[in-house]
Amino acid sequence: VKFFPFFRTPDRRDNGFFFWSALGVGAGFVVFTVLFLAFREPVMAYYSKESPLLSEHYLMLIPLGLATLSYNFFSSWLQAFYKTVVTSFVNEILLRLLISIEISLYALRLITFEQFVVGYVLIYFVPAAILLVYMATIRQTRFRPVPVTPRVRRLLSITAVYGLWQYLGGASMYIVPIVDQTMLAGICGLAEGGIYTTIIYMTSAMQMPYRSIVKVSTPVVTNLWKERDMEGMRKISRDASLMNLIAGCFLFVVIWVNLDNIFSLMPESYASGRYVFLFLGLGWVVNMYVGLNSTILMTSKKYRYEFMLSILLVGLTVLTNALMIPRWGMNGAALATMISLLVFNVGHVAFVWKFYRIFSLSWRDVLVVLWGAAMIGVSMLIPRQDNFIVDGTIRTTLISLVFGTGIYYSKISPALNRMLEGLLRRIFVRRS
């Protein structure tokens, strides 16, 4: 995404950038598969006592990794062309829908657990396959290499160095979300691990707007760097941070006030995950709020500092989980992740301000947080209904109306107001 503007050509061959990128991705998969197999015995030994099922299905992680890697690569390529709608749909909606259907089949005992595992892995190939077909439809697949000119050779060498740093540093954002899960499963077993992972899915739903905004913003940021438009960088940073904070606070509150309804669908033991959601949710709201600072730093000339912060994040996550899980179980894992995310994001804000004088935060943003907290108080005043569907509908509707009205009329985010007004204008024009 960062270097595509420099490789792009009118003949749509783009100097073979797709081919060289695919080659690098393929080589990475081979290397890590070899390492994955080489470390099989110590990993299986770690999980053999508390989580033997993971050891039994260890090799299934290889095709699962290939499916995930393929999706990420195709998604990034489409992101460079500002094609993010299909990628978000297949991963955020279709994938979850297919997994839900498979879980239902297993719950109804229509498939065995072995069939469930195989089906789960195969489902992850669906988004990658859809993106591949979509890329072919819009003619954005370029598997054939093209002659490499001296200029392209220099660009490839620069891209390779940058890619190596990002490979090492960016890996932390994939490692950190699973460090707590793997350590929790190894120390406390799959029972708490299952509850914890379920809560993670809730926080993952919170981040859907954030991921969409980052996908759209990243190619814009790379172009702003190319044009050296620092004023534009400050504007997009500020707008994205505020919109992410509003979306994050709103979704956190909606899920928090409906936790009792959500837990009523699960075994009683899952109710113990309330504070897991509290810690993880707050940590990810902060990450959403300042998350674009990571994109700015990663795509700048100071990208090596992203690697430093990533190493700090991984080390801090492992250390805090090792200290807190034995004491507080899954609540300790959630608290450890929240602390690690806070430190990680403070580092991003500090570096982006130091190097580029970009500061996306404002004291007025506290009003959004306070308004979100007030919505929790409003929810407490709503009488609880016996039917969880009715109760959830009433709470969600009232909270949405009150929260949205307050944000709109306070005009705290002009960009969000313009977007809503444009949407309403299009709706009324179509009706008329």
Side-chain angles (χ1 to χ4, degrees), residues 71 74-76 78-79 82-97 127 130-131 134 207-216:
Y71 167 81
F74 297 151
S75 175
S76 296
L78 288 167
Q79 185 181 356
Y82 300 91
K83 304 288 187 180
T84 60
V85 175
V86 175
T87 59
S88 297
F89 171 77
V90 297
N91 191 59
E92 305 292 351
I93 298 177
L94 180 62
L95 180 64
R96 284 167 168 75
L97 178 62
I130 291 176
L131 291 192
Y134 176 61
Q207 300 169 64
M208 288 174 62
Y210 164 72
R211 287 192 289 267
S212 298
I213 290 175
V214 169
K215 278 185 178 181
V216 173

Side-chain angles (χ1 to χ4, degrees), residues 55-329:
S55 299
E56 293 177 19
H57 300 91
Y58 185 82
L59 294 179
M60 294 299 293
L61 292 172
I62 295 177
L64 184 62
L66 177 61
T68 306
L69 179 65
S70 301
Y71 167 81
N72 287 334
F73 175 60
F74 297 151
S75 175
S76 296
W77 183 252
L78 288 167
Q79 185 181 356
F81 291 93
Y82 300 91
K83 304 288 187 180
T84 60
V85 175
V86 175
T87 59
S88 297
F89 171 77
V90 297
N91 191 59
E92 305 292 351
I93 298 177
L94 180 62
L95 180 64
R96 284 167 168 75
L97 178 62
L98 292 176
I99 291 175
S100 299
I101 292 173
E102 194 196 17
I103 290 173
S104 300
L105 293 176
Y106 178 68
L108 296 172
R109 298 183 180 180
L110 298 176
I111 58 174
T112 65
F113 184 73
E114 296 296 329
Q115 292 172 330
F116 173 83
V117 172
V118 174
Y120 184 86
V121 173
L122 292 176
I123 283 173
Y124 268 84
F125 279 96
V126 174
I130 291 176
L131 291 192
L132 183 59
V133 172
Y134 176 61
M135 288 164 56
T137 302
I138 62 175
R139 298 181 180 179
Q140 297 297 349
T141 52
R142 300 155 174 74
F143 288 106
R144 293 181 179 179
V146 299
V148 179
T149 64
R151 175 182 175 274
V152 172
R153 189 178 293 111
R154 287 195 301 272
L155 276 174
L156 283 173
S157 64
I158 296 171
T159 305
V161 173
Y162 174 83
L164 179 61
W165 281 94
Q166 294 310 314
Y167 202 67
L168 298 172
S172 67
M173 295 313 296
Y174 292 96
I175 294 173
V176 169
I178 63 171
V179 164
D180 46 7
Q181 297 177 60
T182 53
M183 293 184 69
L184 183 64
I187 296 173
C188 299
L190 286 179
E192 286 202 17
I195 298 173
Y196 190 86
T197 303
T198 302
I199 304 301
I200 286 179
Y201 283 128
M202 296 183 193
T203 59
S204 179
M206 282 176 46
Q207 300 169 64
M208 288 174 62
Y210 164 72
R211 287 192 289 267
S212 298
I213 290 175
V214 169
K215 278 185 178 181
V216 173
S217 301
T218 300
V220 177
V221 168
T222 59
N223 279 313
L224 289 173
W225 279 126
K226 184 182 179 183
E227 301 297 329
R228 299 181 181 179
D229 184 358
M230 299 309 297
E231 192 57 38
M233 193 77 73
R234 292 186 181 92
K235 186 178 186 307
I236 191 174
S237 174
R238 173 60 188 154
D239 288 346
S241 292
L242 184 54
M243 291 182 72
N244 277 324
L245 178 65
I246 293 172
C249 287
F250 170 70
L251 293 173
F252 175 85
V253 170
V254 167
I255 296 175
W256 178 261
V257 301
N258 282 292
L259 277 181
D260 288 335
N261 294 321
I262 296 171
F263 288 143
S264 68
L265 299 171
M266 306 175 186
E268 292 184 7
S269 59
Y270 278 75
S272 60
R274 179 179 299 274
Y275 291 103
V276 172
F277 176 78
L278 175 64
F279 296 138
L280 288 180
L282 292 177
W284 285 112
V285 167
V286 172
N287 188 74
M288 293 171 67
Y289 181 35
V290 300
L292 200 63
N293 284 275
S294 175
T295 302
I296 293 173
L297 188 62
M298 187 182 297
T299 54
S300 72
K301 293 182 179 180
K302 301 292 184 180
Y303 60 83
R304 290 177 178 83
Y305 286 89
E306 178 71 20
F307 171 72
M308 293 169 52
L309 288 173
S310 298
I311 295 299
L312 171 65
L313 177 61
V314 172
L316 186 60
T317 302
V318 173
L319 177 62
T320 52
N321 274 279
L323 293 174
M324 296 181 179
I325 289 177
R327 294 184 179 183
W328 300 304

